[in-house]
Amino acid sequence: MRKLFRSRRRRVLAVASRGGHWVQLLRLLPAFDNCNVVYVSTDEGYRDQVDGAPFRTLPDASRWNKLAMMRLALCVAWLVIRYRPMVVISTGAAPGFFAVVFGKVLGARTIWLDSIANAEKMSLSGEKAKPFADLWMTQWPQVAARSGASYSGAIL
């Protein structure tokens, strides 16, 4: 971890829930070639997919369990404080929302890339992340037109 702080390379916190959110985040790997990236997800099984890069696991939570959401928020806050990323990027769901919020509060540049599964409207997490995201994106042009999000194509 100390190496992350000493390096002049950009520190990135890349956060996604399991499933499609994680798959989409992995599609962005080439964009992080010259960065120190800490990958974060809710599934320990994904550790092997990031080629030995730092990987942290968060507890899973849904909006239906408020106590679990509070625990998740505290865990994400701790990671953001610990790693002090310059950039926080998320492809979605609750862990990414909290990472974007806490990253913004601590001065990081923040990117929200909403899941391609949301073809009709922005996700709930995406809507809530909007005020905290420096770059707020969707992977559907029609969703961009309706929501005001940026659109630059899809990653799947």
Side-chain angles (χ1 to χ4, degrees), residues 31-153:
F32 308 138
D33 278 347
N34 295 316
C35 301
N36 288 325
V37 184
V38 175
Y39 294 91
V40 181
S41 188
T42 56
D43 191 330
E44 176 65 30
Y46 294 155
R47 180 179 300 275
D48 296 336
Q49 297 178 12
V50 294
D51 297 327
F55 178 87
R56 301 296 173 260
T57 306
L58 294 170
D60 208 355
S62 75
R63 64 182 175 186
W64 310 116
N65 185 332
K66 303 300 182 200
L67 190 57
M69 286 293 271
M70 289 183 355
R71 180 175 176 233
L72 173 62
L74 289 172
C75 290
V76 173
W78 171 247
L79 283 176
V80 173
I81 290 167
R82 183 175 180 201
Y83 291 108
R84 296 283 178 171
M86 296 169 175
V87 176
V88 173
I89 184 167
S90 181
T91 52
F97 164 73
F98 289 123
V100 166
V101 169
F102 295 127
K104 187 65 175 176
V105 168
L106 292 177
R109 301 290 294 174
T110 55
I111 303 167
W112 180 271
L113 177 58
D114 212 48
S115 171
I116 199 164
N118 299 309
E120 301 299 319
K121 63 182 183 173
M122 291 294 281
S123 66
L124 178 62
S125 295
E127 286 291 340
K128 292 188 177 294
K130 182 179 181 178
F132 304 97
D134 293 307
L135 182 57
W136 189 61
M137 301 182 78
T138 179
Q139 298 181 65
W140 295 98
Q142 67 272 19
V143 175
R146 278 187 233 124
S147 68
S150 297
Y151 170 78
S152 295

